Amino acid sequence: MTGMQTAPIGPSDAVPRRDILTLVALTGAAIGVAGYAWPLIDFMNPSKDVLALASVEVPLEAISPGMGITVVWRGKPIFVRHRTDAEIQQARNTPLDQLSDPQDDRARVQPGHEQWIVVVGICTHLGCIPLGNKPSEMRGNLGGWFCPCHGSQFDTSGRIRVPPAPSNLPIPPYTFESDTKIRIG
Amino acid sequence: MNRFVVIAALAGLAFGATARAQEADTLTPPSQSWRFAGPLGTVDQAAAQRGFQVYADACSNCHGLKYLHYRDLSGIGFTAAQIKEIAARFMVPAGFDNQGNVVTRPATAASPFRPPFPNDEAARAMLNGALPPDLSLIVSSFPNGPNYIYALLTGYQDPPADVKLADGMNYNPYFPGHQIAMPPPLNEGDITYTDGTASTVAQNAHDVVTFLAWAAHPDMVQRKRIGFGVVLYFLGMAGVTFALKRRIWHGVH
Amino acid sequence: MTSGLAGWVDTRLPIVTLMRKEFGTFPVPKNFNYFWNFGAISMLLMVVMISTGVVLAMDYMPNAAEAFGSVQHIMRDVNYGWLVRYLHQNGASMFFIATYIHTFRGIYYGSYKSPRELLWILGVVTLLIMMSTAFMGYVLPWGQMSYWGATVITNMFAAIPFVGDAVVTWLWGGFGVDSPTLSRFYSLHYLLPFVLVAVVLLHITAIHKVGSNNPLGIDVRSPQDTLPFHPYYTIKDCFGLCVYLALFAVLVFFAPDLFGDPTNFIPANPLQTPADIQPEWYFLPFYAILRAVPNKLGGVALMFGAMAILLALPWLDTSPVRSARFRPIYRPLFFVWLASIVLLGAVGAHKPEGIWVILGRIGTIYYFGHLLVVMPILGRFERPLPLPDSISRPVITRNALPRGASVAEIRP
């Protein structure tokens, strides 16, 4: 054990060469850091109990024509309205060039269930809840919904007709489980 | 270094041999074989589904599973349709009507398991003062939990001649003090399995413990699966860093 | 040297230079053994504990009604909640294992002696902060063992003469351990780790001032005795970390409840004390010391004294030699002392009956006797083995010099 290293080891020959072994180690370390970080990030995504309530079923039997109900879906009010034939006709007969956000009524309802309009009940202007889902409330001149904050008016298809709101009330994803039940989300 | 070995051995002896002081005359539960035990252990889904049936038929009148939701049953292989059907058997509170009265509706997959009693006092009033524990974590709440629960469920006996049971109590040599308020919950022939398995008390107990062990640790299967990857990763990285360390230190004495 | 963005920053705020100096070219004795890995391992575990803890806090509810259920919510419904929680729960044990090894390494090789007294004291302070944090963290799941552990430990303060009862009421924020106690423990459990980080940074500042000790316990005499920290010790620490983390992973993924107590799966019940209550394993020796004294104030004082006495270690040890390798009488006695601590741990895990009472007293007497009697006296008359001349030439000297020759030169 007398053959000891006498020259001081300088940093230059000590720094490892960028060879395959170093590359594997650095790659592995990067994978490790990412693998550790992912559970901590995913932890903050919606948990199972939140996701389990991400869809709601709404029975429709009790809603007579002209009536609407408000259900809560993912913390947001959803307007489900049973339109009368007159309201359907009114929505269909509106020329698209009168609309600031042109969209055909047929694109906003599901075929065979044209009497049902389902929209997210949040004004596209600044997030107030429009009135008009109950017959007793103000519905504006177009018979749809009226936002009390800044006077926006929506028609019976939930389309914006009187500004300041810039766009139509959005349609949430929903399907008909049967003729009398929808599933939102 | 051999001193460290001695110390480590001493530590192992000191801590390892300290089986918790049990009450002197409480029987030690015999070990059963469990599919969920060990690093490769997994959930026997058929047994766990039968165990759920045992729980529903024999336990759920008194014992809740409050940390479980019906949706969790997908973890033991129930389909979404089956879960929906199971949940719909139970009426749960769903807010209030316009008179302020509680409205009930059938439970959904998102609902927690319906508790057997509205509160602890109601349970005590119904059950002669005894409060049946929640079963969500029961298997983890005892040392040697699965074997203990199995032994308790199958271990009811007639009391020896010198033991006088208190009113409403039952004799079970595995229970500390031997007197337990719970009457024998499993009885030959009470349960008819839907999958045709022969229903004995031993089979019922084995199945319900499998179910409850899953209920206490629904993460178990995923945990072990990820675990193999993580341990292999660190062993691989230990090899790489050791090789690198050897090379960097080459020539240093 | 440094160009681009790093250079721009470094000319205004010399962090690159600082890092390079402290963790790159910093000269470190070249003869470390693997026991020197546990400082870096402890640091990494601290990072794991803080990162998992910050995330867990997002879904934990610090009140008596919801705490237990919120932990179950994390375990069952939150994405990877079980993993993050098991990392935090078992990380505490792995953190203590690493820090205890680091501490005993420091004691064995005399790392607390001049000029490293403050380094050592800062280390003891980090251990004290860790212990307080761990104790309060264990209360948070609000199981039976959490609740009764909190009750027993806080009741110790009632032993303080005259003001004891008032102090305990103040600690509780009520007339027993309850929601107010839980939420203040939660607040402090979140705060103290950041204090810990600050003290650890001071600990590192001190080591960079006085330099590392080494297994021979002799001073660095020439550049030949040292190696730059990077890459020699960075890679060695990485290797040690991988091995240690593999063990951590085995614990988390295959035996996550090994160090836990089954009783803590039962929600806290203020009306029913569990049959056997005992603290987490890392407190068992202290718990044994507490129970070894048949007097409330005496037991509490001795238990806290067991930690406090470590602060005085640099002055209790009178030997001129650092490393126990060169102290023929002290070395076996160190292992006896270590065994007495392990024995106390075993005593802490048993009911105080029969032989365990006697063993607890023997262990306690030796724990303190070793520090208060053996160390001061032994250092004065023990004849150390000959010390090597330098780190780079340890073997020659041991064989060539007559016994005691090199010892004389370092005696004052």
Side-chain angles (χ1 to χ4, degrees), chain B residues 145-175:
Chain B
N147 292 324
Y148 170 71
I149 303 290
Y150 179 89
L152 192 76
L153 290 174
T154 55
Y156 282 87
Q157 295 174 3
D158 291 328
D162 57 335
V163 174
K164 175 136 173 49
L165 289 179
D167 197 28
M169 300 300 263
N170 305 277
Y171 187 80
N172 193 320
Y174 295 99
F175 192 71

Side-chain angles (χ1 to χ4, degrees), chain B residues 68 135-140 211-219, chain C residues 72 75-76 86 265:
Chain B
L68 266 74
L135 299 185
S136 308
L137 293 163
I138 199 79
V139 168
S140 299
F211 170 70
L212 291 174
W214 163 79
H217 285 297
D219 57 86
Chain C
Q72 286 305 310
M75 294 294 289
R76 290 163 189 273
Y86 280 147
F265 283 102

Side-chain angles (χ1 to χ4, degrees), chain B residues 3 11 14 18 20 67-68 71 136-137 140-141 215 217 219 222-223 227 234 237-238 241-242 245 248-249 253, chain C residues 30 34 68 72 76-77 82 86 227 232-233 239 242 245 253 256-257 261-262 265 276 335 342 345-346 350:
Chain B
R3 274 171 220 266
T18 64
R20 250 163 197 288
Y67 298 117
L68 266 74
R71 59 183 154 80
S136 308
L137 293 163
S140 299
S141 312
H217 285 297
D219 57 86
Q222 191 195 15
R223 171 161 58 78
F234 281 120
M237 285 300 284
T241 48
F242 185 69
K245 189 247 165 196
I248 289 169
W249 282 72
H253 296 280
Chain C
K30 64 188 205 178
Y34 276 100
F68 192 90
Q72 286 305 310
R76 290 163 189 273
D77 285 348
W82 57 269
Y86 280 147
L227 293 168
Y232 291 96
Y233 285 107
F239 169 61
C242 287
L245 292 178
F253 291 101
D257 295 324
D261 193 304
F265 283 102
D276 311 288
F335 288 104
V342 173
H350 285 83

Side-chain angles (χ1 to χ4, degrees), chain C residues 180-204:
Chain C
T181 328
L182 177 59
S183 52
R184 66 189 56 188
F185 278 16
Y186 175 64
S187 167
L188 294 173
H189 182 72
Y190 207 115
L191 169 71
L192 285 179
F194 298 96
V195 179
L196 181 68
V197 169
V199 179
V200 166
L201 288 177
L202 291 177
H203 190 68
I204 293 170

